[in-house]
Amino acid sequence: MTISTAHPALLVLADGTTYQGWSFGATGTTIGEVVFNTAMTGYQEVVTDPSYCGQIVTFTYPELGNTGVNPSDQESAHPQIRGAIARNICYRPSNWRSTQSLPDYLAEHNIPGIYGIDTRALTRKIRSIGAINGAISTEILDSAELLSEVQGAPSMAGLNLVKEVSTHKVYQWSDPTEANWEFGPGVDGVEKDKPLTVVAIDFGIKRNILKRLASYNCRVIVVPANTPPEEIAKYNPDGIFLSNGPGDPAVVLEGISTTKALLERQQPIFGICMGHQILGLALGAQTFKLKFGHRGLNHPAGLQQMVEITSQNHGFAIDPDTLGTEVEVTHLNLNDRTVAGLRHKSLPFFSVQYHPEASPGPHDADYLFQQFVELMRSRSGDPGA
């Protein structure tokens, strides 16, 4: 599609800032929190990551859609973002795995996008004022009218979006990472005849997290976010996994309550992103909203001369001053020193504020899945641990 045949689109932020561009994907109007992702690859995983529910994503890499989309790279059954913002958009992808263009894929799922704007300027603005609500529209091209719509939208702080993305029924996951994409050196040594049962509480789980657990010989039972602890116990799990998810973790009250009850069982618990925040809240800590969040593939995290390059996607963090004496920080985000990992000093609970399955991203932190498995085997008395 050329500019001469493109339909105009308008982006308006809640402070009245306006950007004029061109439409791709679906037509219509969409409202959400405008954030930015600095990754140079993996746009399909971003678009389908349930943690982006309720958000309009600005892609800072200037070319979007060059490799199209394909069924294998989806992190969930459909796109989760409210809208997409790009500098340039590709309508004719070139990749042997591609089955559809990104604009056609978003149009099929009724997700509007805007391109042709200065995404560098928009990103600098978000970094300055913080993540902010905004709207993309192809039908409301009067900025004052669209601004009125934006200003009526709720803030991400205090918003529970887990119910929009969590599974409604229990299911079992057994598919590991595909052989062509396997990267974990320790996976080959996993005992295949002694599977471990992991109950994964779905706050908005990514498929590649499930694949990594299965690759480490875990029988994964995925349950809805509102599943009572008594129901979870009936599966006789060796460990509990707390997944990633969207929105404000402090208002996911059922998840916090369930996790508190599960802590009393003293079984291994591993949390990622929202799961990390839920674990912290269950242990008595508090969370706060970051100014513009961490969304990208190259965030350094570590502690005491150890550094991992990590994939991150979150807008909230744990307040370290509210952690009890029985909990210790294992990782910091080395860009802003926020808490990126924690563990209980005497009980088998740990979590990280980033994505060790790294889809997309580096694989520095894949060892955390092995750590979870070893913790489960040691607690079960397995001599192979």
Side-chain angles (χ1 to χ4, degrees), residues 17 84 90 134 206 237 241 273 300 353 370:
T17 305
C90 177
K206 292 174 64 181
F241 177 78
C273 283
Q353 185 66 87
Q370 179 68 39

PDB file of all heavy atoms in Angstrom, residues 17 84 90 134 206 237 241 273 300 353 370:
ATOM      1  N   THR A  17      -1.732  15.864  23.245  1.00  0.00           N
ATOM      2  CA  THR A  17      -0.771  15.746  22.150  1.00  0.00           C
ATOM      3  C   THR A  17      -1.373  14.922  21.016  1.00  0.00           C
ATOM      4  O   THR A  17      -1.989  13.881  21.244  1.00  0.00           O
ATOM      5  CB  THR A  17       0.525  15.073  22.640  1.00  0.00           C
ATOM      6  OG1 THR A  17       1.032  15.787  23.762  1.00  0.00           O
ATOM      7  CG2 THR A  17       1.570  15.063  21.539  1.00  0.00           C
ATOM      8  N   ALA A  84      -1.526  -0.700  17.688  1.00  0.00           N
ATOM      9  CA  ALA A  84      -0.093  -0.702  17.368  1.00  0.00           C
ATOM     10  C   ALA A  84       0.294   0.620  16.723  1.00  0.00           C
ATOM     11  O   ALA A  84      -0.474   1.211  15.960  1.00  0.00           O
ATOM     12  CB  ALA A  84       0.240  -1.855  16.430  1.00  0.00           C
ATOM     13  N   CYS A  90       5.201  -2.899   6.783  1.00  0.00           N
ATOM     14  CA  CYS A  90       5.413  -3.720   5.587  1.00  0.00           C
ATOM     15  C   CYS A  90       4.142  -4.496   5.248  1.00  0.00           C
ATOM     16  O   CYS A  90       3.610  -5.218   6.093  1.00  0.00           O
ATOM     17  CB  CYS A  90       6.575  -4.694   5.831  1.00  0.00           C
ATOM     18  SG  CYS A  90       6.894  -5.826   4.465  1.00  0.00           S
ATOM     19  N   GLY A 134      -4.182   6.831  25.578  1.00  0.00           N
ATOM     20  CA  GLY A 134      -4.284   7.442  24.260  1.00  0.00           C
ATOM     21  C   GLY A 134      -5.280   6.684  23.408  1.00  0.00           C
ATOM     22  O   GLY A 134      -5.808   5.643  23.820  1.00  0.00           O
ATOM     23  N   LYS A 206       2.117 -16.983  28.819  1.00  0.00           N
ATOM     24  CA  LYS A 206       2.645 -17.098  27.465  1.00  0.00           C
ATOM     25  C   LYS A 206       2.907 -18.566  27.143  1.00  0.00           C
ATOM     26  O   LYS A 206       3.359 -19.339  27.985  1.00  0.00           O
ATOM     27  CB  LYS A 206       3.961 -16.305  27.340  1.00  0.00           C
ATOM     28  CG  LYS A 206       3.788 -14.808  27.446  1.00  0.00           C
ATOM     29  CD  LYS A 206       5.140 -14.110  27.453  1.00  0.00           C
ATOM     30  CE  LYS A 206       5.899 -14.314  26.153  1.00  0.00           C
ATOM     31  NZ  LYS A 206       7.216 -13.650  26.159  1.00  0.00           N
ATOM     32  N   PRO A 237       0.264 -31.221  43.306  1.00  0.00           N
ATOM     33  CA  PRO A 237       1.396 -30.707  42.530  1.00  0.00           C
ATOM     34  C   PRO A 237       2.726 -30.828  43.270  1.00  0.00           C
ATOM     35  O   PRO A 237       2.775 -30.804  44.499  1.00  0.00           O
ATOM     36  CB  PRO A 237       1.027 -29.237  42.331  1.00  0.00           C
ATOM     37  CG  PRO A 237       0.192 -28.902  43.527  1.00  0.00           C
ATOM     38  CD  PRO A 237      -0.596 -30.149  43.826  1.00  0.00           C
ATOM     39  N   PHE A 241       3.383 -22.684  39.729  1.00  0.00           N
ATOM     40  CA  PHE A 241       3.934 -21.620  38.892  1.00  0.00           C
ATOM     41  C   PHE A 241       2.940 -20.477  38.824  1.00  0.00           C
ATOM     42  O   PHE A 241       1.745 -20.688  38.569  1.00  0.00           O
ATOM     43  CB  PHE A 241       4.239 -22.127  37.475  1.00  0.00           C
ATOM     44  CG  PHE A 241       4.748 -21.044  36.573  1.00  0.00           C
ATOM     45  CD1 PHE A 241       6.067 -20.616  36.667  1.00  0.00           C
ATOM     46  CD2 PHE A 241       3.917 -20.421  35.661  1.00  0.00           C
ATOM     47  CE1 PHE A 241       6.539 -19.594  35.866  1.00  0.00           C
ATOM     48  CE2 PHE A 241       4.376 -19.403  34.853  1.00  0.00           C
ATOM     49  CZ  PHE A 241       5.696 -18.988  34.958  1.00  0.00           C
ATOM     50  N   CYS A 273       7.162 -12.214  36.285  1.00  0.00           N
ATOM     51  CA  CYS A 273       6.497 -10.934  36.008  1.00  0.00           C
ATOM     52  C   CYS A 273       5.322 -10.690  36.948  1.00  0.00           C
ATOM     53  O   CYS A 273       5.546 -10.471  38.118  1.00  0.00           O
ATOM     54  CB  CYS A 273       6.133 -10.837  34.530  1.00  0.00           C
ATOM     55  SG  CYS A 273       7.592 -10.445  33.544  1.00  0.00           S
ATOM     56  N   PRO A 300      19.591  -5.298  31.469  1.00  0.00           N
ATOM     57  CA  PRO A 300      20.526  -6.023  32.331  1.00  0.00           C
ATOM     58  C   PRO A 300      19.945  -6.202  33.724  1.00  0.00           C
ATOM     59  O   PRO A 300      19.388  -5.286  34.316  1.00  0.00           O
ATOM     60  CB  PRO A 300      21.750  -5.101  32.353  1.00  0.00           C
ATOM     61  CG  PRO A 300      21.186  -3.724  32.149  1.00  0.00           C
ATOM     62  CD  PRO A 300      19.995  -3.899  31.244  1.00  0.00           C
ATOM     63  N   GLN A 353      11.307 -10.668  37.787  1.00  0.00           N
ATOM     64  CA  GLN A 353      10.525  -9.648  37.126  1.00  0.00           C
ATOM     65  C   GLN A 353      10.905  -9.559  35.650  1.00  0.00           C
ATOM     66  O   GLN A 353      10.925  -8.492  35.053  1.00  0.00           O
ATOM     67  CB  GLN A 353      10.736  -8.295  37.830  1.00  0.00           C
ATOM     68  CG  GLN A 353       9.894  -7.151  37.320  1.00  0.00           C
ATOM     69  CD  GLN A 353       8.413  -7.324  37.582  1.00  0.00           C
ATOM     70  OE1 GLN A 353       7.924  -6.948  38.638  1.00  0.00           O
ATOM     71  NE2 GLN A 353       7.700  -7.891  36.635  1.00  0.00           N
ATOM     72  N   GLN A 370      15.422 -24.816  35.288  1.00  0.00           N
ATOM     73  CA  GLN A 370      16.153 -25.927  35.891  1.00  0.00           C
ATOM     74  C   GLN A 370      16.200 -25.770  37.403  1.00  0.00           C
ATOM     75  O   GLN A 370      16.052 -26.745  38.158  1.00  0.00           O
ATOM     76  CB  GLN A 370      17.578 -25.987  35.329  1.00  0.00           C
ATOM     77  CG  GLN A 370      18.436 -27.108  35.909  1.00  0.00           C
ATOM     78  CD  GLN A 370      17.967 -28.488  35.507  1.00  0.00           C
ATOM     79  OE1 GLN A 370      17.562 -28.683  34.359  1.00  0.00           O
ATOM     80  NE2 GLN A 370      17.997 -29.426  36.427  1.00  0.00           N
TER      81      GLN A 370
END
